[in-house]
Amino acid sequence: MDEKIKFCVKDLDFYYGDFKALHNIRMDVPEKRVTALIGPSGCGKSTFLRCLNRMNDLIPISRVKGNILLEGENINDRGVDVVHLRRRVGMVFQKPNPFPKTIFENVAYGLRVNGIKNKGVLQKKVEESLKRSALWDDVKDRLHDSALGLSGGQQQRLCIARALAVEPDVLLMDEPASALDPIATQKIEDLIHDLKENFTIVIVTHNMQQAARVSDITAFFYMGKLIEIGETEGLFTRPQLKQTEDYITGRFG
Amino acid sequence: MERMHFQHELESLKMLVFKMAAASLSATRKAIESYMSSDTGLAETIVSGDAEINCMDIEIDRRSLRLLALEQPMAGDLRLIIGAMKIGNELERIADQAVNISNRAAFFCNRPPLPPVPDIEKLINVSTLMLEKAISSMTKMDVELAMEVVKMDDQADKYTLNVLKTVIEMVISDSPDRITRRNRMEHAIQTVIVSRCLERISDLSTNICEHVAFISRGVYIKHQSVDCDRG
């Protein structure tokens, strides 16, 4: 099957000062599919996720070696505009973090930063993004209320709408449902299924059932190394390596 | 996080399947003995003991369902639970075949002996051996042994066919009187039923071996002539 590769990661090492957090990671992230990163705390999965849109640049002592090619271009090259990169590779965090603004302004924020001022365009884009994030029906009558009045699940979907408004290619999700109740979690998972039609998604999750439910590809990290990566169904029913089997069956002592 | 409780539950599920396997094997052996010796007393114990084996089948299903619902097993654990349910089902059907064979013992004890059907003994031997080896491959999770059993199924089929040919000859041969003809016909039908039960036991033993391969390696060795790898 000819599958387009969105990210091609080659020999990636990552350091926090002297501590090597990622060791020689090599993997491809296929386009318009969901790739889940799993592994115990401290295994490097979130560090890896943050490498994909250079969020780690914000940590002064961090350093990266190796290549991360986004559609063939190394995102760590000097000439790369990080703001532009983060527009292409959006991110949603564990805890919903809406701005203390209205629902409308939260979604319109990125568009305004990108110079869009036309009210009609803004309204259209905000509506589109809220529909894509399955929040429109909940908020269409209170777009100018504070976003902080939304429930946790709604706030997370608002953050997804905010990320989608600037039309990224890739959406990075760092445990996007870990702070949500089962119903809100279900909505996020349904949303991920819908979004992969148009976006490439990389998700970090501690919940293995969630990884199994939402992802097409799963990568297992342990102690900063990529241990095994493969089609999710195969990895969860017939992992190739004992270390993976031990982790997913809960035998890690 | 070793999931000790879950591991304990899995182990206990495995032990229940082993116990059921031992019970089904014992029922099969006794059924054959009762058939060979026309021992109706022994046959009755098999018929009455079948309820216990049925209960074990239900208990395996219950425990498996609970583990699937509550523990959300993955990988080898998931395959083990699915496999346990399937093997439980095969063992229950093997025990049913033992009951069928035992029911034939009652018939043979009331009839005058007739010439033996040579290949029925060979069929008995191969079916019993297949069941023993299938259970052994399951307890040891020995896929090589399981594959060996799968290959033996052709022998069982061959002997079943031979039995059928022999009884056809028996039925169509000239008989001196009506009573003998009737006896021969009844004998033939009962023998065909027994051979069919033995052939089913060998088939079900093969199924157990296929489940062993699935549990152990996650591979499907059944229905190999059909391309089921799509989607």
Side-chain angles (χ1 to χ4, degrees):
Chain A
M1 192 173 86
D2 272 347
E3 191 167 58
K4 255 185 99 178
I5 299 301
K6 185 56 87 176
F7 277 110
C8 174
V9 180
K10 292 179 177 173
D11 307 321
L12 179 73
D13 292 333
F14 185 85
Y15 298 83
Y16 291 110
D18 292 335
F19 175 70
K20 194 174 183 180
L22 292 176
H23 298 253
N24 199 32
I25 307 296
R26 291 177 190 184
M27 67 179 269
D28 290 337
V29 176
E31 186 177 54
K32 292 183 183 171
R33 297 189 83 188
V34 180
T35 301
L37 312 179
I38 62 166
S41 297
C43 70
K45 56 191 186 301
S46 289
T47 299
F48 176 74
L49 188 80
R50 288 198 303 267
C51 285
L52 297 179
N53 68 348
R54 290 181 55 179
M55 286 297 275
N56 290 321
D57 287 10
L58 303 171
I59 304 166
I61 55 164
S62 69
R63 161 167 78 88
V64 64
K65 269 173 70 183
N67 294 319
I68 301 174
L69 307 178
L70 173 58
E71 292 184 341
E73 280 181 60
N74 190 350
I75 64 166
N76 291 310
D77 278 353
R78 276 187 188 193
V80 169
D81 176 353
V82 180
V83 174
H84 176 70
L85 170 70
R86 291 181 192 150
R87 195 160 65 223
R88 284 185 72 188
V89 185
M91 195 158 192
V92 177
F93 299 88
Q94 182 176 1
K95 215 175 146 206
N97 55 351
F99 303 137
K101 291 171 178 285
T102 66
I103 293 165
F104 184 93
E105 284 305 326
N106 261 275
V107 184
Y109 188 84
L111 300 166
R112 288 192 202 279
V113 168
N114 283 303
I116 298 172
K117 289 176 185 157
N118 183 303
K119 267 192 172 177
V121 174
L122 283 173
Q123 263 166 358
K124 187 167 165 278
K125 294 260 184 195
V126 167
E127 182 175 336
E128 252 175 38
S129 304
L130 287 169
K131 280 182 176 166
R132 271 183 161 166
S133 67
L135 190 59
W136 176 251
D137 288 341
D138 292 17
V139 301
K140 63 186 174 196
D141 301 323
R142 47 176 174 144
L143 289 175
H144 300 288
D145 289 0
S146 169
L148 302 179
L150 297 173
S151 70
Q154 288 171 328
Q155 286 188 9
Q156 192 62 305
R157 278 182 283 148
L158 180 68
C159 293
I160 292 171
R162 191 173 65 191
L164 296 179
V166 294
E167 293 179 2
D169 291 342
V170 183
L171 205 52
L172 308 179
M173 298 179 147
D174 195 352
E175 297 187 55
S178 64
L180 306 180
D181 70 25
I183 295 168
T185 298
Q186 184 59 55
K187 284 185 178 163
I188 297 287
E189 289 182 6
D190 286 344
L191 182 57
I192 291 170
H193 273 293
D194 296 341
L195 290 175
K196 76 172 176 184
E197 213 171 287
N198 298 303
F199 304 94
T200 301
I201 296 172
V202 186
I203 178 173
V204 163
T205 177
H206 269 122
N207 180 334
M208 273 179 293
Q209 278 70 36
Q210 182 171 70
R213 284 193 297 264
V214 304
S215 72
D216 303 299
I217 307 286
T218 298
F220 169 53
F221 283 72
Y222 184 58
M223 293 179 79
K225 291 177 183 161
L226 174 62
I227 305 296
E228 184 169 345
I229 180 166
E231 294 281 336
T232 295
E233 187 185 328
L235 194 123
F236 281 107
T237 57
R238 204 175 47 184
Q240 299 300 305
L241 299 176
K242 188 175 179 302
Q243 235 175 342
T244 316
E245 171 107 20
D246 285 349
Y247 180 69
I248 63 177
T249 57
R251 284 180 178 79
F252 248 55
Chain B
M1 53 159 199
E2 294 260 359
R3 298 182 84 188
M4 292 308 289
H5 175 72
F6 175 55
Q7 293 310 320
H8 176 75
E9 293 273 310
L10 268 187
E11 203 52 36
S12 146
L13 177 67
K14 247 167 47 179
M15 289 305 133
L16 181 57
V17 176
F18 292 174
K19 189 177 160 194
M20 186 176 175
S24 296
L25 176 61
S26 167
T28 304
R29 282 179 177 149
K30 285 181 185 167
I32 290 166
E33 195 187 329
S34 72
Y35 161 69
M36 298 294 278
S37 58
S38 299
D39 182 342
T40 49
L42 185 58
E44 273 167 24
T45 64
I46 294 148
V47 177
S48 61
D50 191 48
E52 196 187 334
I53 294 176
N54 290 344
C55 288
M56 285 191 233
D57 182 33
I58 290 171
E59 183 59 19
I60 288 169
D61 273 4
R62 271 193 193 137
R63 289 195 198 180
S64 301
L65 189 65
R66 200 169 61 79
L67 290 174
L68 287 171
L70 304 183
E71 300 286 352
Q72 297 165 331
M74 294 281 191
D77 296 342
L78 178 61
R79 299 201 304 271
L80 173 64
I81 295 167
I82 303 266
M85 289 173 80
K86 291 189 168 199
I87 289 175
N89 193 241
E90 310 294 0
L91 291 169
E92 190 271 329
R93 290 157 80 188
I94 285 171
D96 284 347
Q97 297 303 330
V99 169
N100 287 343
I101 295 171
S102 304
N103 287 335
R104 305 281 81 76
F107 167 83
F108 285 106
C109 80
N110 295 324
R111 297 291 188 281
L114 281 169
V117 180
D119 277 339
I120 197 93
E121 273 195 45
K122 289 181 186 165
L123 181 58
I124 285 170
N125 290 340
V126 77
S127 306
T128 316
L129 187 62
M130 282 176 75
L131 179 57
E132 286 165 356
K133 285 192 172 188
I135 291 171
S136 179
S137 77
M138 177 188 73
T139 54
K140 296 176 191 155
M141 276 295 129
D142 182 341
V143 179
E144 272 67 40
L145 183 59
M147 298 295 285
E148 210 180 285
V149 177
V150 172
K151 285 179 191 153
M152 289 168 74
D153 196 36
D154 286 347
Q155 280 180 53
D157 291 344
K158 189 181 87 183
Y159 294 141
T160 308
L161 194 63
N162 288 351
V163 169
L164 193 62
K165 282 179 185 166
T166 310
V167 295
I168 288 170
E169 286 303 319
M170 199 197 295
V171 168
I172 63 174
S173 63
D174 284 339
S175 309
D177 59 73
R178 192 171 171 274
I179 292 172
T180 308
R181 282 204 304 276
R182 184 192 169 86
N183 274 346
R184 278 189 180 174
M185 181 60 85
E186 285 181 337
H187 191 278
I189 289 170
Q190 300 294 347
T191 305
V192 167
I193 292 172
V194 170
S195 71
R196 173 71 184 145
C197 293
L198 292 166
E199 195 248 341
R200 284 300 296 145
I201 288 172
S202 62
D203 283 345
L204 296 165
S205 303
T206 303
N207 292 355
I208 291 173
C209 293
E210 290 164 351
H211 304 322
V212 168
F214 171 74
I215 295 170
S216 175
R217 298 187 185 164
V219 293
Y220 295 97
I221 60 167
K222 60 182 176 180
H223 311 313
Q224 291 211 327
S225 58
V226 187
D227 176 16
C228 300
D229 279 339
R230 298 177 309 274

